[in-house]
Amino acid sequence: VEIFTLLFWHVGTRHGGRYSNIINTLVPMFCAEMDGLDSLREAVIILASNRADLIDPAILRPGRIDRKIKVKRPDKQGSKEIFSIYLSQDIPYAPAGRMKPPALVDHLVDSVVEDLFQQKEDHRFLEVTLRSGRKEILYRSDLISGAIIESIVSRAKEQAIKRAIAGQEPVGLSETDLIQAAHQEFEQSEIFPPSDITEDWLKLIDYDPENVVGVLPLRSTSHKKPDAGII
């Protein structure tokens, strides 16, 4: 069985305007190519997008897309599994008692995930006001994703490298590095919009735009860039 994975770039919803000529041309071409795949045997076509709301309805009509699968944000167990992918056992880790990989890696993963999923005051991240007037609070764990987890690990590695270059202890990636990196990711990450513009936030949170009238970031810090340093 052959599997083809296609990522959506320029197949958004068609509309009027001089800047939409490319989309208005690409969408029919893409649909024609999809219709031409009927002759293939033992082939699976996977279409992937993180903005399903912007895909032209013609692409999603029955006959072109047989099944639609929504991948939700990872829960606590899913987050641990993703962290375990990026925290491989061949990374140099700071000593933590008598623990050695893989027990040490499991300990680090458990620690950073437990911290991320705590619903404490300084983890409040977003206030969503619904059309009914009800307000809902989203915590850091409600916006976790594979991309954010990868970035947290990258930040932690950078901190460990800077410390090693400066000749500081401990040598190797530590639990503190990961937890500090997680805090920095949610305070400084460019993944999150820098303002309270509802439309920008709705691209990231799993809410029906028709039911949301306001979004208020609750982060205590702004998008301040960390000081430059040697990496």
Side-chain angles (χ1 to χ4, degrees):
V1 177
E2 292 188 74
I3 299 179
F4 302 90
T5 303
L6 305 178
L7 302 179
F8 289 112
W9 284 297
H10 299 295
V11 289
T13 304
R14 290 168 288 182
H15 51 78
R18 59 180 180 176
Y19 298 110
S20 61
N21 290 335
I22 295 178
I23 291 179
N24 291 341
T25 301
L26 285 178
V27 170
M29 291 174 58
F30 185 85
C31 291
E33 292 291 334
M34 287 289 295
D35 294 339
L37 295 175
D38 291 340
S39 60
L40 293 178
R41 294 292 182 266
E42 296 186 352
V44 177
I45 310 299
I46 300 176
L47 309 176
S49 174
N50 61 351
R51 290 301 310 278
D53 56 306
L54 295 182
I55 301 174
D56 193 284
I59 295 173
L60 300 178
R61 73 168 177 77
R64 290 198 176 107
I65 304 297
D66 297 321
R67 296 182 181 179
K68 301 180 182 68
I69 301 174
K70 181 177 181 179
V71 180
K72 297 183 178 180
R73 294 181 181 276
D75 57 11
K76 181 181 288 188
Q77 181 57 37
S79 297
K80 289 182 179 181
E81 293 175 3
I82 297 174
F83 267 108
S84 296
I85 293 173
Y86 292 108
L87 292 173
S88 60
Q89 296 185 28
D90 57 353
I91 294 175
Y93 294 99
R98 295 183 178 181
M99 286 189 294
K100 304 286 184 182
L104 176 55
V105 174
D106 292 339
H107 169 73
L108 294 177
V109 169
D110 289 341
S111 296
V112 67
V113 171
E114 288 297 329
D115 181 77
L116 276 171
F117 276 78
Q118 287 186 38
Q119 293 192 351
K120 52 187 181 181
E121 185 68 23
D122 61 345
H123 281 200
R124 288 159 47 100
F125 199 77
L126 208 63
E127 180 184 270
V128 180
T129 303
L130 304 179
R131 193 168 297 279
S132 63
R134 186 163 61 92
K135 297 181 184 294
E136 296 184 355
I137 301 298
L138 298 186
Y139 292 81
R140 293 179 179 181
S141 57
D142 296 314
L143 288 102
I144 197 72
S145 69
I148 289 175
I149 291 174
E150 188 276 336
S151 183
I152 289 173
V153 174
S154 294
R155 286 176 182 267
K157 289 179 179 178
E158 289 178 3
Q159 291 175 183
I161 291 172
K162 289 178 181 179
R163 190 170 57 250
I165 292 175
Q168 300 173 349
E169 297 290 339
V171 176
L173 187 67
S174 69
E175 177 181 338
T176 301
D177 290 328
L178 283 168
I179 293 178
Q180 287 182 348
H183 286 275
Q184 291 170 1
E185 181 65 22
F186 281 91
E187 293 172 355
Q188 303 168 353
S189 177
E190 294 183 352
I191 293 177
F192 304 114
S195 67
D196 58 354
I197 299 176
T198 303
E199 290 78 8
D200 290 342
W201 278 103
L202 288 177
K203 299 175 184 177
L204 294 175
I205 59 179
D206 298 326
Y207 279 83
D208 183 353
E210 296 295 326
N211 294 332
V212 178
V213 296
V215 175
L216 177 65
L218 299 176
R219 289 169 293 176
S220 59
T221 58
S222 61
H223 273 46
K224 181 182 178 181
K225 296 289 186 181
D227 294 335
I230 300 175
I231 297 179

